[in-house]
């Protein structure tokens, strides 16, 4: 009870006193039902620890400043509650004795990016609670430096010396140890012996070490994860991870993750007895041979290693493999049997190789599991209709940066799940209008930097989900006219670096989809050259008719706006008069100029409703581009009705006149009034 009250009081005090701490930023955070005071002083150009920090502080981030050794003395003022201290990337070369030793609650200490001259046991004293020590880097580590850090679980250390002492870690109970031997040429055989019952994760970066002793990991029976990064090792001992029949060493045979980077070649039996291995990464190996025995490996990353060719039995032991990374492996070919044994393959990365051709039915064994395929940065020339034969599950395909000049129109048939298709940086001149026939799920299409002159009409007719389209760097003048009829969810279109002709349809697109992020600029007509597409305004030329008569052939929700708005440019946009399902009027209708004039102000008004406020105010506006067209269509129907009325009135009047004229004299001329003029005009036009 008292304890609770104490904590409550402390919390109140914390919340209260953790307010201002210029130039740092103080915050109270809730952590395990406690309130903690934190100060972020990172990157404030500090050359001393600010005096404004409240004494109740628990987390201090002093990283990226210019603190020196003597500044650490001030830390004693805050050490009572201090739990997390970040001193990374300062100019600390020496930890003054006991400067931290009163921080009895200190849990995490980050010293990354400082190079200490020397550390010994006085540097840390009794930091009993210290759980995690990050980035300690010293030129010299005394034998007993860490002897009092009994609570330490997790350490990353950089050895600046040529030699590392074999006993440096003795007494520690580390679970995770990241070691970086910058200059050392040798790793003591028994360095890791201290961790027999505790070590789970080891990371070893040793660029100058030429060999590892067979006993390096000896006794580490609970080890789960090993990383070895080297530059000068020819090979590893065959028995590094397991014992032979004759020796009875206890070995780490339950490894789950192994990463080996930079060893020239590996012994064939290195992974024998590893029954739990799930993630195997073998990077930058020059002469790679994979184990043939059956394994549980789920992720195999061979990127950077040298392969050239893969024979049929290469992956024979990898029946459970789901992720395969063969990026930068100098591959020149993939055969129809290369992936034959991989019946669970989900992600395949073949990027940055020299592959010129993909075989038919590449994913025959994994046709229901393969989801992502990256073959970018290769030398592919064409994609046949049979490459993805039978595949049902593909979602992401990256074929960018190849030499593709031909894609069969059926190449992506049945790929209903495809969401991302990257064909950028190729040599495509042409796409068939059926290329995306089955891509109803497509979200992101990139065909930037090809040589495409125009996108076929109906290319996007089924790609109704498309969100992003990058067609920059081509030779495209205009978008297909049916483009925005189908794609309602577009968020981004880049037409950058194309000879874009800013015509009425493009203006209408800009106008009817105010939230579309449209990139690029007009090249033509000359009047609009250089205008950013995002600033394109519906041109008055697209709005006002000069002819007294408006000819309305068949028109739709969408087309109506164009017919009415494009100065009877029917010859220029023949395709806009298409037979869409929304056809309203089919006969040719004549409208007298008076009623047409009457009609226009309201159309202009509708088209000008493009200020963001009004656009946002309208629920339909962004999703249904036909909204403004809808009003126009209604307007048109009304206009046609009015026109018809006027017409009927005129005809009646004319009959009346005629009959009256007959009555008076057989040769009487039609009176010279407005209606008669309009009528004659219409006659002449016919
Ligand atoms: C302090 O702020 C920096 C960014 O300015 C951030 O990267 C860092 O994580 C913050 N530190 C803490 C302890 O939250
Ligand atoms: C400093 O280290 C702490 C952990 O001690 C971390 O939370 C914080 O993000 C680090 N700050 C920066 C800028 O990396
Ligand atoms: C660290 O301090 C020394 C001398 O105090 C100075 O020469 C050096 O440039 C400083 N280094 C950095 C990274 O500020
Ligand atoms: C394959 O490895 C490369 C690094 O070599 C990496 O960039 C890429 O993201 C990896 N691919 C996958 C699918 O993880
Ligand atoms: C592809 O092959 C050429 C010549 O054979 C070579 O110069 C280039 O480095 C190779 N590219 C890759 C990614 O291996
Ligand atoms: C691989 O292609 C060859 C011809 O190039 C063919 O004879 C063989 O049957 C194909 N193998 C499979 C598994 O499809
Ligand atoms: C290849 O594509 C995959 C899946 O989209 C991605 O995870 C990977 O990072 C790409 N590889 C490279 C080298 O960019
Ligand atoms: C596609 O490439 C293969 C091999 O490079 C070639 O045999 C075939 O004729 C090409 N097909 C087309 C249509 O260009």
């Amino acid at each position: 009870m008292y304890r609770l009250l104490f904590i409550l009081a402390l919390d109140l005090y914390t919340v209260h006193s953790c307010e201002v701490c210029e130039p740092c930023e103080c915050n109270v955070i809730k952590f395990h039902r406690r309130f903690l005071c934190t100060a972020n002083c990172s990157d404030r150009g500090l050359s001393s620890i600010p005096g404004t920090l409240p004494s109740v502080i628990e987390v201090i981030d002093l990283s990226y400043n210019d603190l020196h050794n003597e500044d650490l003395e001030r830390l004693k003022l805050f050490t009572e509650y201090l739990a997390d201290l970040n001193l990374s990337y300062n100019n600390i070369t020496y930890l003054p004795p006991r400067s931290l030793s009163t921080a009895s609650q200190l849990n995490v200490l980050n010293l990354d990016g400082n190079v200490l001259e020397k550390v010994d046991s006085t540097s840390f004293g009794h930091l009993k609670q210290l759980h995690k020590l990050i980035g300690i880097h010293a030129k010299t580590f005394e034998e007993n430096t860490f002897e009092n850090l009994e609570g330490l679980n997790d350490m990353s250390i950089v050895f600046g010396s040529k030699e590392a002492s074999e006993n440096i870690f003795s007494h520690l109970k580390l679970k995770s140890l990241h070691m970086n031997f910058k200059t050392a040429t040798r790793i003591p055989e028994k360095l890791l012996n201290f961790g027999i019952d505790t070590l789970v994760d080891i990371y070893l970066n040793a660029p100058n070490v030429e060999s590892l002793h067979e006993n390096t990991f000896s006794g580490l029976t609970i080890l789960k994860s090993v990383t070895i990064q080297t530059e000068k090792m020819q090979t590893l001992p065959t028995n590094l991870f397991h014992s032979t029949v004759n020796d009875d060493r206890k070995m780490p045979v339950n490894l789950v993750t192994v990463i080996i980077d930079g060893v020239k070649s590996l012994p064939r039996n290195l992974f024998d007895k590893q029954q739990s291995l799930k993630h195997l990464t073998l990077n930058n190996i020059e002469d790679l041979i994979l184990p043939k025995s059956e394994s549980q490996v789920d992720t195999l990353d061979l990127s950077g290693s040298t392969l050239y060719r893969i024979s049929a039995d290469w992956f024979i032991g990898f029946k459970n493999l789901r992720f395969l990374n063969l990026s930068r492996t100098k591959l020149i070919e993939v055969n129809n049997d290369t992936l034959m044994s991989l019946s669970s393959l989900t992600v395949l990365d073949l990027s940055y190789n020299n592959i010129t051709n993909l075989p038919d039915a590449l994913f025959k064994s994994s046709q229901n599991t393969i989801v992502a395929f990256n073959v970018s940065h290769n030398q592919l020339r064409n994609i046949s209709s049979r490459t993805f034969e039978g595949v049902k599950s593909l979602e992401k395909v990256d074929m960018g940066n190849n030499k593709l000049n031909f894609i069969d129109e059926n190449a992506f048939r049945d790929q209903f799940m495809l969401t991302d298709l990257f064909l950028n940086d190729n040599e495509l001149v042409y796409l068939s209008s059926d290329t995306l026939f089955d891509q109803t799920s497509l979200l992101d299409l990139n065909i930037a930097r090809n040589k495409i002159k125009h996108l076929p009409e109906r290319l996007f007719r089924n790609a109704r989900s498309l969100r992003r389209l990058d067609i920059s760097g081509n030779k495209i003048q205009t978008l297909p006219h049916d483009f925005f009829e189908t794609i309602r969810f577009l968020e981004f279109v880049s037409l950058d670096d194309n000879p874009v002709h800013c015509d009425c349809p493009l203006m209408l697109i800009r106008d009817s989809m105010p939230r579309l992020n449209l990139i690029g600029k007009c090249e033509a007509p000359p009047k609009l050259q250089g205008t950013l597409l995002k600033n394109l305004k519906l041109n008055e030329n697209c709005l006002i008719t000069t002819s007294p008569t408006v000819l309305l052939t068949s028109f739709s929700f969408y087309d109506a706006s164009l017919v009415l708005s494009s100065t009877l440019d029917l010859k220029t946009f023949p395709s806009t008069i298409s037979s869409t399902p929304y056809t309203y009027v089919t006969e040719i209708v004549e409208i007298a100029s008076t009623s047409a004039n009457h009609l226009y102000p309201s159309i202009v008004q509708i088209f000008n409703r493009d200020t963001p406020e009004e656009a946002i105010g309208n629920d339909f506006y962004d999703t249904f581009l036909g909204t403004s067209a809808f009003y126009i269509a209604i307007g048109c129907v009304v206009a046609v009705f009015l026109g018809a009325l006027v017409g009927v009135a005129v005809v009646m009047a004319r009959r009346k006149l005629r009959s009256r004229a007959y009555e008076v004299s057989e040769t009487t001329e039609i009176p010279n009034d407005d209606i008669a003029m309009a009528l004659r005009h219409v006659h002449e036009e016919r």
Side-chain angles (χ1 to χ4, degrees):
M1 185 65 189
Y2 286 118
R3 197 181 136 75
L4 194 69
L5 278 178
F6 172 74
I7 288 176
L8 266 179
L10 186 66
D11 276 353
L12 271 178
Y13 182 57
T14 303
V15 173
H16 215 72
S17 56
C18 184
E19 276 168 3
V20 254
C21 56
E22 288 296 316
C24 308
E25 193 186 318
C26 273
N27 272 307
V28 177
I29 56 166
K30 201 165 181 205
F31 183 74
H32 283 288
R33 287 191 263 160
R34 282 264 351 261
F35 288 103
L36 303 183
C37 180
T38 73
N40 196 336
C41 311
S42 177
D43 199 11
R44 300 289 201 280
L46 299 178
S47 55
S48 66
I49 295 172
T52 50
L53 293 180
S55 61
V56 289
I57 203 116
E58 272 140 321
V59 178
I60 311 182
D61 189 344
L62 285 162
S63 58
Y64 299 97
N65 284 299
D66 194 23
L67 300 180
H68 293 250
N69 307 334
E70 55 277 19
D71 302 320
L72 299 186
E73 300 281 357
R74 259 194 83 82
L75 280 174
K76 283 189 186 135
L77 298 178
F78 310 104
T79 49
E80 196 174 347
Y81 301 107
L82 198 58
D84 187 329
L85 177 62
N86 191 341
L87 290 169
S88 61
Y89 300 94
N90 276 284
N91 206 345
I92 300 164
T93 58
Y94 172 63
L95 295 175
R98 279 171 282 281
S99 56
L100 292 165
S101 62
T102 55
S104 55
Q105 304 295 315
L106 195 62
N107 214 276
V108 182
L109 175 60
N110 190 342
L111 289 168
D112 225 353
N114 298 290
V115 183
L116 307 178
E117 285 299 324
K118 188 179 128 179
V119 283
D120 55 36
S121 59
T122 64
S123 311
F124 296 108
H126 291 262
L127 294 178
K128 287 217 166 52
Q129 298 289 326
L130 195 64
H131 198 74
K132 188 168 179 176
L133 177 58
I134 306 167
I136 178 136
H137 180 178
K139 291 182 184 157
T140 316
F141 286 97
E142 290 289 316
E143 190 100 332
N144 47 3
T145 303
F146 305 114
E147 69 180 358
N148 292 319
L149 303 181
E150 295 133 20
L152 208 57
N153 255 216
D154 189 334
M155 167 141 93
S156 66
I157 181 169
V158 183
F159 292 94
S161 52
K162 284 246 179 285
E163 285 285 318
S165 154
E166 192 157 66
N167 303 318
I168 174 128
F169 301 122
S170 45
H171 311 299
L172 290 183
K173 299 198 164 53
L174 295 174
K175 281 199 179 108
S176 170
L177 176 59
H178 282 215
M179 290 177 291
N180 192 333
F181 294 86
K182 275 204 129 89
T183 52
T185 51
R186 199 186 72 87
I187 293 174
E189 179 186 338
K190 299 204 167 92
L191 181 72
L192 300 173
N193 272 9
F194 76 96
I196 284 175
D197 311 316
T198 59
L199 269 177
V200 173
D201 171 25
I202 291 175
Y203 169 96
L204 191 65
N205 184 340
N208 295 301
V209 174
E210 287 178 6
S211 65
L212 281 184
H213 195 280
E214 179 175 87
N215 279 334
T216 309
F217 302 114
S218 190
L220 305 179
T221 51
I222 65 168
L223 198 61
K224 292 269 184 283
S225 167
V226 178
T227 301
I228 300 172
Q229 277 190 319
T230 89
E231 283 164 24
K232 295 195 176 146
M233 266 183 224
Q234 284 301 327
T235 187
L236 294 173
T238 301
N239 296 318
L240 188 65
F241 301 131
H242 63 87
S243 54
T244 49
V245 193
N246 306 335
D247 77 58
D248 54 354
R249 296 177 303 155
K250 288 208 159 88
M251 295 301 285
V253 288
N254 294 307
L255 294 171
V256 175
T257 302
V258 174
I259 300 173
I260 297 173
D261 184 352
V263 182
K264 302 258 180 315
S265 75
L266 296 177
R268 185 179 285 275
N269 300 324
L270 185 66
F271 302 110
D272 280 11
K273 305 195 186 166
Q274 298 298 338
Q275 295 302 316
S276 313
L277 198 56
K278 282 252 188 288
H279 311 288
L280 181 57
T281 299
L282 305 172
N283 297 143
N284 303 306
I285 315 278
E286 284 172 20
D287 181 15
L288 188 63
I289 298 168
L290 288 183
K292 292 278 179 285
S293 52
E294 192 151 326
S295 75
Q296 296 297 313
V297 173
D298 174 81
T299 311
L300 181 61
D301 180 350
L302 304 178
S303 63
S305 293
T306 305
L307 302 178
Y308 298 117
R309 280 189 171 78
I310 296 177
S311 56
D313 60 351
W314 241 70
F315 297 115
I316 202 118
F318 293 89
K319 299 226 161 31
N320 299 299
L321 196 67
R322 292 194 301 142
F323 301 91
L324 178 57
N325 195 339
L326 298 173
S327 179
R328 297 180 200 272
T329 49
K330 302 197 168 81
L331 276 181
I332 53 175
E333 63 177 27
V334 181
N335 296 318
N336 61 359
D337 53 13
T338 302
L339 306 174
M340 213 159 57
S341 37
L342 304 178
S343 53
S344 308
L345 193 62
T346 308
V347 176
L348 176 62
D349 193 340
L350 288 176
S351 60
Y352 296 94
N353 286 301
N354 261 340
I355 302 166
T356 51
N357 194 25
L358 293 174
D360 290 351
L362 173 63
F363 298 108
K364 196 170 185 180
S365 311
S366 51
Q367 58 183 16
N368 295 316
T369 57
I370 187 80
V371 169
F373 176 43
N374 190 343
V375 65
S376 67
H377 297 271
N378 276 280
Q379 314 279 338
L380 296 180
R381 296 191 176 272
N382 67 42
I383 302 297
S384 85
S385 62
R386 302 201 50 206
T387 304
F388 299 115
E389 201 176 66
V391 177
K392 296 283 186 296
S393 45
L394 261 177
E395 291 174 20
K396 296 181 200 306
V397 173
D398 188 347
M399 298 188 162
N401 291 281
N402 277 281
K403 297 206 161 67
L404 291 176
N405 56 34
F406 176 77
I407 294 180
D408 191 283
E409 64 180 21
N410 293 318
F412 305 113
R413 267 299 154 96
D414 299 330
Q415 307 302 320
F416 291 103
M417 312 284 275
L418 201 61
T419 57
D420 297 57
L421 179 56
F422 300 141
L423 298 168
N424 53 289
D425 299 279
N426 278 294
E427 288 163 17
L428 295 168
V429 176
Y430 163 85
L431 285 179
S432 152
S433 61
D434 286 337
T435 310
L436 305 176
F437 190 84
D438 285 332
Q439 273 60 62
T440 48
S441 307
L442 197 63
L443 298 175
D444 201 337
L445 177 64
N446 190 342
I447 38 182
R449 293 171 299 279
N450 278 280
K451 296 175 178 165
I452 297 173
K453 282 222 172 76
H454 83 253
L455 296 170
E457 301 285 325
R458 299 167 60 70
L459 173 64
F460 297 102
R461 65 191 181 281
N462 295 329
R464 288 169 184 274
S465 313
L466 201 65
R467 298 287 197 284
R468 295 172 51 85
L469 174 65
D470 191 342
I471 47 178
S472 57
N474 280 286
K475 300 191 160 59
I476 295 169
Q477 293 191 344
T478 184
L479 293 168
H481 286 121
D482 65 344
F483 186 50
F484 287 77
E485 248 175 298
T486 39
I487 313 177
R488 303 252 154 96
F489 300 111
L490 267 180
E491 288 161 5
F492 172 89
V493 174
S494 178
L495 267 163
D496 210 14
D497 200 11
N498 277 293
V500 182
H501 184 89
C502 287
D503 51 13
C504 290
L506 199 59
M507 292 176 193
L508 186 74
I509 283 161
R510 167 72 295 178
D511 202 69
S512 46
M513 302 183 84
R515 295 204 196 147
L516 174 68
N517 185 1
L518 189 58
I519 310 285
K521 48 181 188 289
C522 308
E523 287 262 308
K527 207 171 67 178
L528 290 175
Q529 195 177 17
T531 307
L532 295 179
L533 296 186
K534 73 178 162 82
N535 296 334
L536 206 57
K537 279 271 180 301
L538 204 62
N539 194 314
E540 59 282 2
N541 288 338
C542 300
L543 287 176
I544 292 168
T545 178
T546 48
S547 162
T549 311
V550 178
L551 273 175
L552 294 176
T553 47
S554 67
F555 71 99
S556 66
F557 273 130
Y558 176 72
D559 294 335
S561 53
L562 289 177
V563 172
L564 274 175
S565 67
S566 57
T567 326
L568 282 184
D569 263 349
L570 301 186
K571 286 179 282 336
T572 349
F573 307 119
S575 60
T576 59
I577 314 292
S578 59
S579 51
T580 57
Y582 307 110
T583 305
Y584 262 68
V585 183
T586 43
E587 327 93 293
I588 292 176
V589 184
E590 297 161 9
I591 302 176
S593 59
T594 43
S595 53
N597 281 338
H598 182 69
L599 187 63
Y600 276 118
S602 60
I603 294 175
V604 174
Q605 211 185 343
I606 289 165
F607 269 110
N608 283 343
R609 278 184 341 106
D610 61 356
T611 59
E613 302 80 51
E614 281 166 317
I616 286 160
N618 187 336
D619 279 349
F620 290 104
Y621 205 60
D622 52 341
T623 50
F624 182 39
L625 81 109
T627 309
S628 54
F630 176 75
Y631 286 117
I632 296 160
I634 298 258
C636 289
V637 171
V638 171
V640 166
F641 183 68
L642 285 177
L645 269 185
V646 171
V648 167
V650 167
V651 169
M652 299 264 284
R654 202 170 138 190
R655 276 203 191 136
K656 238 178 190 170
L657 278 173
R658 252 193 216 146
S659 56
R660 216 194 294 162
Y662 275 120
E663 272 170 24
V664 181
S665 149
E666 280 192 72
T667 53
T668 311
E669 283 192 25
I670 297 169
N672 189 10
D673 62 38
D674 282 29
I675 294 176
M677 276 293 282
L679 277 171
R680 192 185 293 160
H681 196 82
V682 169
H683 275 278
E684 277 163 9
E685 281 218 332
R686 277 186 182 170

